Amino acid sequence: MTASDPGPPIRSHSRTDRWLALLLGILCLLVYNANGRGIGSADSYGARFLPFALWRNHTVVLDPVLPIAAQGRRVGELPGRHNAPGAWRYRPYWILQTPRGHAVSMYPIAVPILVAPLYAPAVWYLNAKGWDNWRLDWVARIMEKLAASVVASLSVALMYLLLRRRASVRMALLLAAVYAFGTGTWVIGSQALWQHGMTELLLVGMLLAVTGTCTARMALLAGVLSGLIACNRPPDSLLAAAVGLYGLLWAGRRIPWLVGGALIPVGFLFAYNLAIVGHWAGGYGLIAYKDFFTFNPLEGALGLLFSPARGLFFYSPFLLFIPLFATRIWRERDSRFLSVSLAVAVVLLVAVYARVDWTQGYCWGARYLTSAAPALLWMLPPVLRSFSRVGRWAFAASCLPAVALQAIGAFWYAGASDALLFGNNPSHLAMGAMWNLRNLPAWVELRHAPVTPETFTVARGSIDVAATIEGAPLEAADGRDLHLRGWALINGKTPAELLIMLDGEFVSASGEFFARPDVVRALDTPFASGWRARLPARQLDPGEHVLAAFARATAGGEAFYLAETSFHIPPKEFPDPHIPDEPPSSARTLAESAKKAAQRIAARQDPLGYWLTAFTKQASYRPQGQELNTYLNALMIDILAPIADEAALGGNVSRARKFLTSQIEDNGLVRYHGRPDAPTIGTLGCAITPDADDTALVWRVAPAEDRRTLPHALATLRAYRTQTGLYRTWLSPPDRYQCLDPGSDPNPADAAIQMHIFLLLAQEDPPAARALCQSLASRLGDDSLFVYYRNAPIVPILRQADLRKAGCAMDLPSALWEHVAPGQSEWVAAARLLRQRTVTPAAPPDPIDWNRVLTVLAKDDFARMRYYPPLLYHNDLTATVNRFYWSEDVGYALWLRLYFENARISRKKGRP
């Protein structure tokens, strides 16, 4: 037997091996908890709190624990935040709202499900003491740290047993210890419920199974572990596939057990993704990762492996022995296939992560590659066996800095290095900072004292009073300062600092506390606990806002959740534009407003060419969310195209046309939310049934160069024509509807939709257009024909002019003006002015009327756009779910159109 030929692998372990593995696991559990705190991020909040929902409510959604899991934030966008840079910071990005209205973790749920059994004592305690939010938050923090450390310690114990398959007791102990304390297993795997720690445990377990004797039970276990790895963290599927490939040779005739075992967790995951989340890819599928894999792969690979801030070989330099002595690993015949498979998987994993933002967020060390640590450690025994004494001392020396760096992370890392690396920099600047030795995380963190243990810290408090300075209730706040008051205690003592979060952003901090006799009596504590805070509310938009209070035990330490409350600011009232109480603005002022309006339209357009639409549940503008639809973008083109050059928006209109053209499917039809395979499906829309309205709109304003699919689209439209000559909305039988909530008529023939279809037919099929005009004119007096515009007449008013130009003049029913939503009268006035300008250009209205409307709409920096934007349409009011759709962008576009049309009138009349 030679150094490079160790003989057959060990198939079973002695009692000594099992005892050593147990002792090693216990030692790791003690060391991992010695720092007395957790080290994680909001990424792990879902895994922290979901086990409680599983135990208490028997559900895999976060709805029952949402207030505490969101940590003072609200799922979805908040007023005034949806267009702000870095808006994701103001909402709980780790929680997503599904199309079915549930709150779910953005990340796969394998971790919280697998650690849920460990939570049984905690659930028993909460059942006995009460499920108060402060107590749940406290217990959840403790359980996350304990569960993570148990998972990591178990992976170390199993790693020792795995290494004994091919190494001596001494070498296996050494490498298992290096794995425990010289890799991300310590600061990443054991400190919080990241996905990486669970992958390590599952991967070690799978390797242990496939390197032992193959039985049906072991093949099934290996398969289940393989499937769990893929379900836990999708990129780690590469590691599971590498071991699984070897497993196919190992399993032999028991391959069905291996494959069947893998399909069990995968099947459950797909069932959860489809039934609960509403997307086959789960939470990841609800996020549009259009820029995720767009980074330079060479720079990414170098950063992942060698950068001082995030490099794998910088934090674990002993792993360099693997590529340097790869030939010695190759020589070991018994494990060659498995080692090569794992090596290829690790290389592919680096290649995948190299294409993304490899800075890896707020963390310590090489987080992304922590999952690969078991595969890399598996390769080291043949390298060490081939070394002389000098080589082994060199290897041991390379392990010391790895352990030292992990120890610094465990006891000193407090985020100061991340603040220096990232700050407010975009990703490409942060990447450069990762290579600067002056930003070395270990050096930065060692400048301050070790972090105070906080695992068992108890934070309690409340927000007792929330009012304006004048004393009015918070619900009546209309721009005055907010006056807050409450109490807070940390471990029964005065906190070091109180923090106030408004709409997901920390906006105030205070270290001043005063005595609260009521708290002293209730909790029997002599420490000062009362606090006050004053916040400016002048810049708050109307709608719901969220206030949350947090406290710190030490300055700069972890912020512990205390309590939250919400309040509502009502919309601002504006004068009716028909009342002459606003003097017209000067030409110069209106020109400045026009420039500002054009700039905002351009800034709010996505680089792909689309604008988003806001929606609410009531006919008042308090947005619950945003969506992407083809309808709004076609309307924007219609309004802006005649003035695009004058407004310097020609490029924006062209991009919008290009986007709409790309939404035409192979059958020529168009869907309201765009193509069903678009990356925005699941986040900004759903795979809805094709419809006549958007098909007609897109083919008219943004037709495809290849018109071969248009005849099929026109034929489909004809197939859904009613006996009265009108066209139905949905181009599918009801039993094949997707993402729809039909009203009393599951497929109505709306009047405005007929207008859009007519405009297309006037270009492509004039006889059919004339027939539709006659049918619509005969029934236009029936206001029930306006299914989607009963309370929103702006679009039908604008279409009157388009119809007249195309040879189909008709008047709208007067009843349409009787149901205008609050705040919409000025937009109706603007639409009627534009209609009149087009219909009777020879007799334009008095320019003073135009100027007055322009002035009212542009007043206070277009404040009306934020409070009362145009209501474009609504869903069928007889449906079970109410939806009203609004657009500030259409408001700016209408204002610009009105402005430039007015300018043309003035030029013709010789006015300045």
Side-chain angles (χ1 to χ4, degrees):
M1 185 183 302
T2 65
S4 60
D5 183 15
I10 299 172
R11 294 295 182 184
S12 60
H13 299 92
S14 65
R15 178 177 297 180
T16 300
D17 287 331
R18 290 191 287 272
W19 274 107
L20 287 174
L22 177 62
L23 292 174
L24 186 59
I26 294 174
L27 173 64
C28 289
L29 190 63
L30 295 174
V31 174
Y32 291 159
N33 286 280
N35 61 350
R37 66 190 182 106
I39 306 174
S41 77
D43 288 2
S44 65
Y45 283 174
R48 175 190 296 184
F49 292 104
L50 185 58
F52 294 105
L54 282 166
W55 274 99
R56 190 186 190 196
N57 305 96
H58 314 296
T59 181
V60 290
V61 299
L62 290 169
D63 297 357
V65 292
L66 183 58
I68 194 68
Q71 293 284 292
R73 298 166 176 85
R74 286 285 175 89
V75 177
E77 303 293 355
L78 291 162
R81 296 296 190 190
H82 54 280
N83 290 311
W88 59 270
R89 296 198 305 267
Y90 306 119
R91 61 178 176 82
Y93 68 87
W94 56 93
I95 300 175
L96 299 175
Q97 188 168 21
T98 71
R100 296 174 175 85
H102 294 297
V104 297
S105 173
M106 186 179 79
Y107 303 99
I109 60 170
V111 170
I113 288 178
L114 292 174
V115 301
L118 300 176
Y119 278 59
V123 173
W124 175 85
Y125 170 81
L126 290 172
N127 284 335
K129 296 294 185 179
W131 287 78
D132 305 283
N133 274 353
W134 69 267
R135 187 178 284 112
L136 173 60
D137 188 52
W138 172 56
V139 172
R141 281 188 279 107
I142 296 173
M143 287 308 306
E144 180 182 16
K145 176 61 183 287
L146 289 177
S149 60
V150 167
V151 168
S153 300
L154 184 56
S155 77
V156 174
L158 295 181
M159 173 57 77
Y160 167 76
L161 296 177
L162 172 64
L163 291 168
R164 280 291 289 128
R165 300 282 200 211
R166 61 191 318 202
S168 64
V169 171
R170 180 180 299 179
M171 185 183 296
L173 282 173
L174 169 66
L175 291 179
V178 172
Y179 166 73
F181 305 117
T183 70
T185 306
W186 189 352
V187 181
I188 299 297
S190 74
Q191 301 296 302
L193 289 175
W194 299 94
Q195 298 161 302
H196 313 281
M198 183 59 70
T199 292
E200 287 185 291
L201 174 60
L202 297 173
L203 183 60
V204 173
M206 188 179 179
L207 285 168
L208 194 59
V210 301
T211 54
T213 303
C214 182
T215 63
R217 180 181 299 177
M218 294 306 293
L220 179 64
L221 174 63
V224 170
L225 294 174
S226 173
L228 286 173
I229 293 172
C231 294
N232 178 59
R233 187 169 175 83
D236 294 339
S237 301
L238 294 168
L239 299 170
V243 184
L245 187 62
Y246 172 81
L248 294 176
L249 299 178
W250 164 78
R253 59 186 178 85
R254 296 184 177 88
I255 286 179
W257 290 96
L258 179 71
V259 175
L263 292 177
I264 293 174
V266 172
F268 278 111
L269 178 67
F270 270 98
Y272 162 79
N273 288 346
L274 293 173
I276 305 299
V277 181
H279 194 285
W280 67 269
Y284 292 145
L286 300 183
I287 302 295
Y289 285 110
K290 61 183 180 182
D291 299 323
F292 198 64
F293 291 99
T294 59
F295 293 83
N296 185 298
L298 179 59
E299 293 179 3
L302 292 174
L304 286 166
L305 297 176
F306 298 103
S307 66
R310 295 291 186 263
L312 175 68
F313 293 137
F314 186 91
Y315 277 83
S316 300
F318 63 89
L319 294 176
L320 275 170
F321 284 80
I322 295 173
L324 292 177
F325 298 94
T327 55
R328 304 185 185 188
I329 301 173
W330 174 264
R331 292 174 192 162
E332 192 165 86
R333 297 175 182 174
D334 289 335
S335 59
R336 178 186 297 170
F337 186 86
L338 178 57
S339 296
V340 171
S341 296
L342 289 171
V344 171
V346 173
V347 171
L348 291 176
L349 197 63
V350 172
V352 169
Y353 286 131
R355 292 283 295 172
V356 306
D357 180 2
W358 57 267
T359 57
Q360 305 174 54
Y362 281 45
C363 65
W364 183 262
R367 176 170 69 89
Y368 281 175
L369 297 178
T370 296
S371 304
L376 296 171
L377 266 293
W378 165 261
M379 303 178 198
L380 279 172
V383 175
L384 293 185
R385 277 196 300 271
S386 68
F387 282 168
S388 63
R389 178 175 296 181
V390 174
R392 295 185 181 184
W393 276 108
F395 178 83
S398 69
C399 295
L400 295 178
V403 175
L405 285 171
Q406 294 298 319
I408 293 171
F411 292 95
W412 272 270
Y413 172 58
S417 55
D418 291 325
L420 184 63
L421 289 167
F422 293 98
N424 294 318
N425 295 329
S427 294
H428 69 280
L429 294 181
M431 289 176 178
M434 297 284 163
W435 290 95
N436 191 334
L437 288 175
R438 288 181 296 182
N439 299 334
L440 187 66
W443 173 247
V444 174
E445 300 295 348
L446 283 173
R447 294 176 186 173
H448 58 74
V451 179
T452 303
E454 294 182 328
T455 298
F456 295 95
T457 298
V458 180
R460 298 184 64 181
S462 71
I463 302 176
D464 292 339
V465 177
T468 62
I469 292 298
E470 290 83 353
L474 201 57
E475 284 69 20
D478 59 358
R480 297 163 292 182
D481 289 350
L482 303 180
H483 187 197
L484 311 177
R485 189 170 67 194
W487 65 273
L489 289 171
I490 295 284
N491 291 330
K493 299 181 180 179
T494 304
E497 188 177 24
L498 178 93
L499 297 95
I500 298 296
M501 176 185 286
L502 174 62
D503 292 344
E505 179 183 14
F506 285 114
V507 294
S508 178
S510 173
E512 298 182 3
F513 294 86
F514 58 89
R516 282 277 300 261
D518 57 331
V519 178
V520 172
R521 289 192 301 271
L523 300 181
D524 191 24
T525 176
F527 295 95
S529 62
W531 57 265
R532 296 186 182 93
R534 177 173 176 169
L535 303 178
R538 293 177 177 83
Q539 301 302 318
L540 292 180
D541 287 338
E544 295 295 326
H545 295 269
V546 183
L547 279 168
F550 295 77
R552 284 180 171 147
T554 58
E558 182 177 353
F560 297 101
Y561 173 89
L562 295 173
E564 70 177 74
T565 187
S566 61
F567 63 95
H568 173 73
I569 293 182
K572 190 175 181 180
E573 295 296 334
F574 292 93
D576 191 294
H578 297 294
I579 300 176
D581 61 353
E582 194 72 44
S585 298
S586 66
R588 180 177 178 181
T589 301
L590 290 177
E592 292 174 352
S593 297
K595 182 178 180 180
K596 187 175 296 184
Q599 289 173 343
R600 290 179 181 174
I601 287 175
R604 293 162 63 91
Q605 186 183 33
D606 187 88
L608 292 180
Y610 59 78
W611 291 275
L612 297 178
T613 307
F615 60 83
T616 65
K617 295 180 180 178
Q618 302 85 24
S620 58
Y621 189 56
R622 299 174 189 173
Q624 276 83 43
Q626 289 184 301
E627 68 173 27
L628 166 61
N629 61 68
T630 54
Y631 178 92
L632 172 80
N633 291 279
L635 186 61
M636 288 290 288
I637 293 173
D638 261 331
I639 297 173
L640 289 175
I643 60 161
D645 292 337
E646 295 167 275
L649 292 171
N652 301 89
V653 172
S654 296
R655 281 194 292 275
R657 278 202 173 99
K658 183 178 180 181
F659 166 75
L660 286 181
T661 302
S662 69
Q663 302 309 304
I664 300 174
E665 299 182 38
D666 294 340
N667 57 7
L669 303 181
V670 179
R671 303 172 192 246
Y672 174 75
H673 289 304
R675 298 182 68 94
D677 57 351
T680 52
I681 295 298
T683 55
L684 296 174
C686 55
I688 197 170
T689 304
D691 66 273
D693 201 23
D694 295 291
T695 299
L697 281 166
V698 172
W699 271 109
R700 186 174 62 83
V701 302
E705 292 185 9
D706 184 355
R707 299 169 61 85
R708 287 178 295 181
T709 59
L710 178 57
H712 181 271
L714 294 173
T716 305
L717 287 173
R718 288 193 295 271
Y720 286 88
R721 191 179 182 191
T722 68
Q723 294 181 350
T724 59
L726 302 182
Y727 293 78
R728 296 194 180 277
T729 302
W730 307 109
L731 304 179
S732 171
D735 59 350
R736 296 178 59 187
Y737 281 178
Q738 296 175 273
C739 191
L740 289 181
D741 177 33
S744 57
D745 183 348
N747 201 353
D750 178 86
I753 293 178
Q754 310 309 306
M755 298 176 185
H756 297 152
I757 295 174
F758 168 82
L759 294 175
L760 173 64
L761 295 178
Q763 296 178 180
E764 305 297 337
D765 189 353
R770 288 191 293 270
L772 175 57
C773 179
Q774 294 173 0
S775 298
L776 181 59
S778 66
R779 294 196 57 197
L780 198 59
D782 183 2
D783 65 307
S784 65
L785 201 61
F786 291 85
V787 178
Y788 304 113
Y789 300 88
R790 184 74 56 84
N791 295 344
I794 296 173
V795 173
I797 293 172
L798 292 173
R799 290 304 179 207
Q800 276 187 292
D802 298 324
L803 293 175
R804 183 178 292 271
K805 288 173 62 177
C808 184
M810 59 182 66
D811 295 323
L812 296 173
S814 59
L816 198 60
W817 319 114
E818 299 174 1
H819 305 286
V820 177
Q824 294 300 299
S825 58
E826 54 276 0
W827 296 115
V828 170
R832 295 179 70 176
L833 285 174
L834 286 176
R835 180 202 61 180
Q836 187 175 358
R837 168 72 177 96
T838 306
V839 172
T840 57
D846 185 346
I848 297 300
D849 294 334
W850 291 68
N851 285 344
R852 182 171 292 113
V853 173
L854 289 167
T855 299
V856 170
L857 293 176
K859 185 181 178 182
D860 296 333
D861 190 26
F862 291 102
R864 189 179 298 274
M865 305 295 183
R866 300 190 295 274
Y867 301 135
Y868 289 121
L871 173 59
L872 302 181
Y873 53 97
H874 49 72
N875 67 349
D876 189 337
L877 297 180
T878 64
T880 57
V881 177
N882 285 338
R883 279 284 178 91
F884 297 81
Y885 299 87
W886 317 71
S887 173
E888 296 179 35
D889 302 299
V890 168
Y892 287 118
L894 274 174
W895 191 94
L896 277 175
R897 180 72 177 275
L898 194 67
Y899 170 79
F900 283 109
E901 293 288 358
N902 185 41
R904 291 169 183 171
I905 293 172
S906 298
R907 286 196 297 269
K908 288 182 179 180
K909 295 294 184 179
R911 299 188 182 97

